[in-house]
Amino acid sequence: MSFMALLYLQLNYIQEMVDMKKEQFDESVNRALYQASRNLELNETLRYLEKDVNETERRAFRTDSIGTRSKNPNGAIQQSHSYSVAGKDGTIYSSFELKTINTKPSQMPKAMILRNDKNSISEASKSLQEIVKNRYIYQKALLDEVVYSILYSASEKPLKERINFKLLDQDLKAELMNNGINIPYHFTVSTQDGREVYRCPDYSDDGEEYTYSQVLFRNDPQSKMGVVKIHFPEMNTYIFSSVRFMIPSVMFTFVLLITFIFTIVIIFRQKRYTEIKNDFINNMTHELKTPIASISLAAQMLNDESVTKSPAMLKHLGGVIFDESKRLRFLVEKVLQMSMFDRKKAVFKKKELDLNEMVESIAHSFTLRVEHTGGKIYTDIEAVESKIYVDEVHFQNAINNLLDNAVKYRKSEQPVDIYIKTWNDDTHLYLSIRDTGVGLKKENLKKIFDKFYRVHTGNVHDVKGFGLGLAYVKKIILLHNGDISVDSEYGKGTKFTIKLPIIKS
């Protein structure tokens, strides 16, 4: 839980950083778009202002009147210049006159006495104010002309003529860089009703799901406005690059979490294996103790001189020693077989056999044992292509184990019936063994093929075995390129189905 909480906090922190970076990105892009649209309007105004000034200056006229030279003794010449500013329609906005007095250098006095004439200073100041005022009227008239021109001329033009798309692209790039965004972008310009009038040359749809838009000429009538739309193909990379430094920490935390979970799983698995091993050792000790005790008792009776050793007695004791030795050898052989398969040292002596004949032979040998319980064994031979390529000894042992389990796990004090059936399709040969025994619960079906696993029946020793039989069966079937499945219902019986590849003649 601590690892999960830490991982959650890290992911949550990364998400908050991404959201914050996205908000900053959105704000920067919108600010850049607004400034670019403003620059577009200013450029249009400047263009019309320059055009209007040039036209106005060409139409402006100047009246320059040079005064007659006075016959003053000092030879001063008085000149006057008159200026007028007219609009496109000929209206005169302002006029002013500038008078100057020139003196011949040869007649300038050698020395002059300056005196402070307040009246002269006052007149000069008024003349300067008049000039500034007239200049202001002139500039205002020019601006009015530009405004009228934009209102009545520029707004009537289509967007293609009003917008310099190359200059707009430069403004967008400059404004985006001013706002800290230096990644590729694509943009389009369209009318207010969605008709596209321009698309950048390298336009692509990548990243179009995050599109930013800005209205152009927003003070114009709605039908004359334009819309610039921009999107960034590498926006996600740009945003996630800011949180890239957090990725290693998340990865290390995730690795630690996986390692911790794996360790816990291994611990519980080892605990289960330990329990299974202890059960196996206890069960094996009990299984081996019985034949050893029987053999020891028979040997003791043979060595006891007080016991009459008739031929019948000697035959009985010899039979007990032989049977128990055989049983002991069989138990040890089972353990050795599983050990050999675990070490991958098994060597098969495969040959071509007929499954139908093998099934009938095994069923015949098990008939007496099944009938001893009060039941019966039934065979249904339907396989047409019954040739298989298997190791005869191991494959017969596998079938014997299944039949042995059917007899051992029967209902207490009740007969058991066994049904053996063979059939085939185009590619596979099938063998099923069904019994009417106690059956298996669903939670046991997934474990019955595990080594050393035994279904608990209340008394550990009421059914003999090590829990190796079904593990051995599955190993043999898999090594013959086959498959085995089980279907069981508790209280009604169990059915094992073996699927093997066939040999077509």
Side-chain angles (χ1 to χ4, degrees), residues 59-313:
R59 287 195 305 268
F61 60 91
R62 187 185 75 171
T63 304
D64 189 1
S65 301
I66 302 177
T68 57
R69 296 182 180 179
S70 62
K71 300 302 181 177
N72 292 335
N74 56 7
I77 301 174
Q78 183 175 334
Q79 298 177 347
S80 67
H81 303 268
S82 297
Y83 296 88
S84 296
V85 178
K88 293 179 178 179
D89 55 357
T91 305
I92 297 177
Y93 292 107
S94 63
S95 62
F96 54 94
E97 183 178 1
L98 182 63
K99 295 182 179 181
T100 58
I101 299 175
N102 296 332
T103 305
K104 290 183 179 181
S106 59
Q107 295 179 352
M108 290 181 65
K110 300 296 183 180
M112 296 180 64
I113 299 174
L114 298 176
R115 58 175 182 161
N116 193 5
D117 192 342
K118 292 183 179 181
N119 293 331
S120 299
I121 295 176
S122 178
E123 290 179 1
S125 176
K126 289 180 181 179
S127 177
L128 182 60
Q129 291 177 1
E130 187 70 21
I131 293 173
V132 172
K133 180 180 178 181
N134 292 332
R135 185 63 179 173
Y136 167 75
I137 294 173
Y138 171 72
Q139 296 290 352
K140 187 173 183 299
L142 292 178
L143 292 176
D144 289 342
E145 283 291 322
V146 172
V147 172
Y148 290 140
S149 177
I150 293 176
L151 286 177
Y152 295 106
S153 176
S155 61
E156 294 298 326
K157 293 182 178 180
L159 287 176
K160 286 185 178 180
E161 297 181 12
R162 298 185 67 183
I163 301 175
N164 186 335
F165 297 109
K166 185 176 181 180
L167 185 59
L168 176 60
D169 189 10
Q170 294 176 356
D171 286 341
L172 286 173
K173 186 175 182 179
E175 294 300 332
L176 288 172
M177 293 186 66
N178 290 338
N179 286 274
I181 301 176
N182 187 19
I183 57 176
Y185 63 89
H186 303 298
F187 75 98
T188 62
V189 177
S190 58
T191 60
Q192 195 68 18
D193 56 1
R195 289 182 294 104
E196 189 176 290
V197 297
Y198 179 77
R199 173 178 291 190
C200 62
D202 57 344
Y203 184 87
S204 70
D205 296 335
D206 297 337
E208 200 173 25
E209 60 272 14
Y210 298 106
T211 301
Y212 303 85
S213 59
Q214 173 65 41
V215 176
L216 302 176
F217 309 113
R218 52 192 175 279
N219 294 319
D220 286 5
Q222 187 171 3
S223 60
K224 303 299 181 181
M225 295 180 184
V227 178
V228 58
K229 295 180 180 179
I230 186 172
H231 65 272
F232 303 86
E234 300 178 7
M235 186 187 73
N236 290 331
T237 304
Y238 172 78
I239 292 176
F240 280 99
S241 63
S242 61
V243 296
R244 192 174 298 165
F245 69 96
M246 285 293 296
I247 295 178
S249 64
V250 175
M251 291 179 61
F252 289 139
T253 304
F254 188 74
V255 170
L256 288 175
L257 177 61
I258 296 298
T259 305
F260 180 78
I261 294 175
F262 180 74
T263 304
I264 295 297
V265 170
I266 291 297
I267 290 174
F268 279 100
R269 184 178 296 173
Q270 290 299 117
K271 181 182 177 182
R272 184 168 64 87
Y273 285 161
T274 301
E275 293 174 353
I276 292 174
K277 183 187 71 174
N278 292 335
D279 292 341
F280 167 73
I281 292 174
N282 295 332
N283 191 32
M284 185 178 68
T285 303
H286 178 80
E287 293 288 343
L288 295 177
K289 186 188 296 184
T290 302
I292 291 174
S294 299
I295 293 172
S296 298
L297 181 60
Q300 185 179 354
M301 292 180 66
L302 286 174
N303 292 327
D304 192 350
E305 296 179 356
S306 61
V307 178
T308 304
K309 298 178 178 61
S310 63
M313 175 64 71

Side-chain angles (χ1 to χ4, degrees), residues 32-42 214-216 218:
L33 286 176
Y34 176 79
Q35 190 59 43
S37 67
R38 224 178 126 71
N39 292 342
L40 181 65
E41 295 178 1
L42 290 175
Q214 173 65 41
V215 176
L216 302 176
R218 52 192 175 279

